[in-house]
Amino acid sequence: MATTSKNILNKMYLVGAIFVIVAVLVVVQIINIQFIDGDAYRRKAEQRIFRNDIIPSTRGNLFDANGQLLATSISKYDIRFDALAPSNQDFNDNIAALAKALATKFETSTDYYLQKLRKAHSNRNRYMLIAKNLNYGDYKEIREFPLFGMGPYRGGLIIEKRIVREHPLGKMAERIVGYDRDGSAPVGLEGAFAPYLRGSDGVRLEQKIGKNQWKPISSENEINPNDGYDVYTTIDVNMQDVAHHALLEQLEYFEADHGTAVVMEVASGEIKALSNLGRGESGKYFEKRNYAVWESHEPGSTFKLMSVIAALEDKVVDTSTVFDTQGGKISYYGRNVRDSKQGGYGKISVAKAFEVSSNTALVQMIQNNYKSHPDDYVNRLYSMNLNKKLDLPIKGEGVPMIPHPDDAHWSGLSLPWMGFGYGVQLTPLQTLTFYNAVANNGVMVKPRLIREVKSKERLIEQFDREIINPAICSQNTINKVKVMMENVVKRGTADNLYSTNFSMAGKTGTCQAEYWKSPGNYIASFAGYFPADKPKYSCIVVIHQPNTKKGYYGNIVAGPVFKKIAQKIYANNPLLDEVELQKSIPEPMARSTNTYLKTIHQQAETAVHKMPNLIGMEAMDALAIVENLGAKVVLIGSGKVRSQSLQPGAKLSSTHQLTLTLL
């Protein structure tokens, strides 16, 4: 019995000890929470009630070379109501007038809003939706409504602002304009120049008023956002339109898979147009990928220009050197090289072989002269920068591939195949950069997509011409190949493009892609420049997988696109004919005419923005676009834009007052 009592007593002591220990631990924890970690816990509690909300900055505008908008930012507003913010007296005194104002604004009955507002008040709803996606004008109007005009605390008005990116050109140039979105890789001009366009976000303090519902503490921001800079590109909307539609028309006719067309200004390297169109599942074409920058492929016969320049520079041939086309067929290591003309061209010179694009003659030119030292040929190509990327600001540039004899995959076929454009890879823009260098008398300039960055009228940064290679070859070689390229159009493979109205020079290309898998997968191309005597613009057109039943040669598929682009740009640009104009002016008038032409250039350099087409836009969207351009706007009526006092394309400056008539 004594033993039992002792056991019970021991258990009581144990339980008591446990209680004491627990009590001590509780006291220690209370002291810890109160005095040691108290500040941290208080901050956590506050974070559950308050938060810093990011206020996105307004992204800068993206302009073309003539001041026309490529992309701009427009504010959109969501309006909500905190039904607990107003006092009962303020709510009751203003609810009828507020319901009437909302009903008038949104063309609904007053009773509808009376019931909705009263229900929110009785249910203690702190986040009732009034309207979404409003423009700035609607937002300004609603914030002055009865009750709402008292502000966020007394009137319960909650404003949520979003920035929406608009592209006035729509689908045209969509891929080159691109985007810069959270969670996605940056694309096009928007992505390349995002550091300038983005600006810096602001911050404001918000209070939690319900589950996932937050309300600004004050109408003042903690940190105000800084708007992004405006970026002025080299793209010319008018040339872009020409290139886009010329390419689209040809793709549709030949039922091709995809294609690209690029126009570059010879002296400056400015990209004036860059169109990329691919066929979707529906059969319609759209800006699918930036093929001009991204897609490396075997160029085929357009690479013959590089081979001829290499051979001329190394003095292993001259333009008059003769090769026997051997009946239009020649074999290397069991693989045949054929000419497009059955039976070949007989014995022809290098110049003639280039004009008619003879594979057999030009392959012999490379194989016969470099077979014992192929590295001389490849190193010559390397010296012309053909193995290097252009390092464009746009992401995703394809890597050029020019094999070297030291490479593990080099074989006996590598050298002859390179001679006529196989076994090498270039992007269309890399090929065009080389052709542009020929037009530019050997000076290779880097393709440029941006002119300057501004903050309103203040210049932030200017981008000038960048020279990649001051001389890809001698002027003597340049002069020879220029004549050969002009003869390609006059009497060679592209004689179907010849026009007496204006001159062009270039080279056709017809290449079989993935020929090791199946025949019939062609790439048709044409690269060149215009006018031929005094080149102003260079251009390349590449079209993949045309319907072979309709045609697949470069002069038939790609060449007409080049001609149409050149023709329309030439016709619409009188400055191309300045020299001819000056020649036709009598000597006494020459000085005044020079002054006139100089004035034209000065006006072009200081050109103000061009008026966009606003017809059919919501009034406040149109207002935001024009105000972004610095002009003043007067609105007549309400609704969408029916007419504008300044026609699309007209010059627009900060001195203009534009009148928009609304429906």
Side-chain angles (χ1 to χ4, degrees), residues 499-520:
S499 172
T500 56
N501 297 324
F502 66 98
S503 58
M504 302 179 294
K507 181 71 184 75
T508 55
T510 307
C511 173
Q512 285 198 63
E514 298 184 334
Y515 43 84
W516 58 90
K517 293 182 180 179
S518 60

Side-chain angles (χ1 to χ4, degrees), residues 247-266:
L247 178 64
L248 176 61
E249 181 182 9
Q250 203 76 340
L251 289 171
E252 289 178 337
Y253 175 77
F254 283 96
E255 303 169 17
D257 184 74
H258 64 274
T260 185
V262 188
V263 179
M264 183 190 297
E265 191 173 69
V266 169

Side-chain angles (χ1 to χ4, degrees), residues 89-359:
Q89 182 175 345
D90 284 340
F91 182 82
N92 292 326
D93 289 348
N94 291 280
I95 184 174
L98 175 58
K100 183 177 180 181
L102 290 171
T104 302
K105 176 65 181 175
F106 298 110
E107 300 179 354
T108 311
S109 69
T110 302
D111 286 341
Y112 168 78
Y113 278 108
L114 277 172
Q115 293 177 19
K116 189 172 183 178
L117 292 167
R118 283 177 176 149
K119 183 178 179 181
H121 190 62
S122 63
N123 291 342
R124 305 174 66 83
N125 188 340
R126 305 200 65 183
Y127 204 59
M128 177 191 127
L129 179 64
I130 298 293
K132 296 190 72 172
N133 294 321
L134 299 180
N135 55 44
Y136 181 70
D138 293 332
Y139 151 68
K140 285 179 64 178
E141 182 182 354
I142 290 174
R143 73 181 183 183
E144 302 300 327
F145 280 3
L147 190 61
F148 287 170
M150 298 179 181
Y153 294 101
R154 190 176 171 189
L157 179 65
I158 300 174
I159 304 295
E160 295 177 338
K161 178 183 174 181
R162 291 175 290 104
I163 305 297
V164 178
R165 200 67 168 165
E166 295 284 342
H167 297 122
L169 293 183
K171 291 294 182 182
M172 188 179 76
E174 184 177 43
R175 194 69 188 183
I176 186 60
V177 170
Y179 54 80
D180 177 33
R181 303 170 186 155
D182 291 338
S184 299
V187 170
L189 297 171
E190 289 268 29
F193 307 122
Y196 298 110
L197 293 164
R198 281 178 186 156
S200 59
D201 295 336
V203 176
R204 68 179 174 188
L205 190 62
E206 292 186 330
Q207 180 181 13
K208 191 172 185 179
I209 58 176
K211 186 176 181 181
N212 297 323
Q213 297 174 1
W214 297 83
K215 175 182 176 180
I217 292 296
S218 169
S219 58
E220 298 296 324
N221 300 322
E222 298 289 314
I223 301 174
N224 287 319
N226 293 316
D227 293 345
Y229 297 137
D230 293 336
V231 172
Y232 290 76
T233 72
T234 64
I235 296 294
D236 185 307
V237 166
N238 299 317
M239 294 188 191
Q240 181 72 29
D241 182 64
V242 168
H244 173 88
H245 287 97
L247 178 64
L248 176 61
E249 181 182 9
Q250 203 76 340
L251 289 171
E252 289 178 337
Y253 175 77
F254 283 96
E255 303 169 17
D257 184 74
H258 64 274
T260 185
V262 188
V263 179
M264 183 190 297
E265 191 173 69
V266 169
S268 67
E270 289 190 352
I271 301 296
K272 312 308 293 184
L274 199 163
S275 183
N276 298 282
L277 295 171
R279 185 175 59 201
E281 292 181 2
S282 65
K284 299 292 184 181
Y285 291 91
F286 62 98
E287 292 264 347
K288 199 172 180 179
R289 294 205 66 163
N290 194 339
Y291 301 111
V293 173
W294 162 75
E295 188 171 34
S296 292
H297 60 84
E298 291 177 309
S301 293
T302 54
F303 196 79
K304 290 172 181 173
L305 175 64
M306 294 71 159
S307 291
V308 167
I309 288 178
L312 290 174
E313 277 296 282
D314 288 338
K315 295 182 171 52
V316 296
V317 298
D318 199 352
T319 55
S320 59
T321 303
V322 173
F323 290 94
D324 189 344
T325 59
Q326 301 187 33
K329 177 183 173 182
I330 190 170
S331 297
Y332 294 100
Y333 300 96
R335 298 284 297 275
N336 295 326
V337 178
R338 300 177 185 273
D339 283 330
S340 59
K341 181 183 178 183
Q342 190 72 23
Y345 300 93
K347 294 181 179 181
I348 55 175
S349 67
V350 167
K352 186 64 176 179
F354 186 84
E355 291 172 21
V356 299
S357 200
S358 170
N359 294 331

Side-chain angles (χ1 to χ4, degrees), residues 60-62 69-74 164-168 624-625 628:
N61 295 321
L62 195 66
L69 272 172
L70 297 175
T72 189
S73 293
I74 295 176
V164 178
R165 200 67 168 165
E166 295 284 342
H167 297 122
I625 288 175
N628 279 339

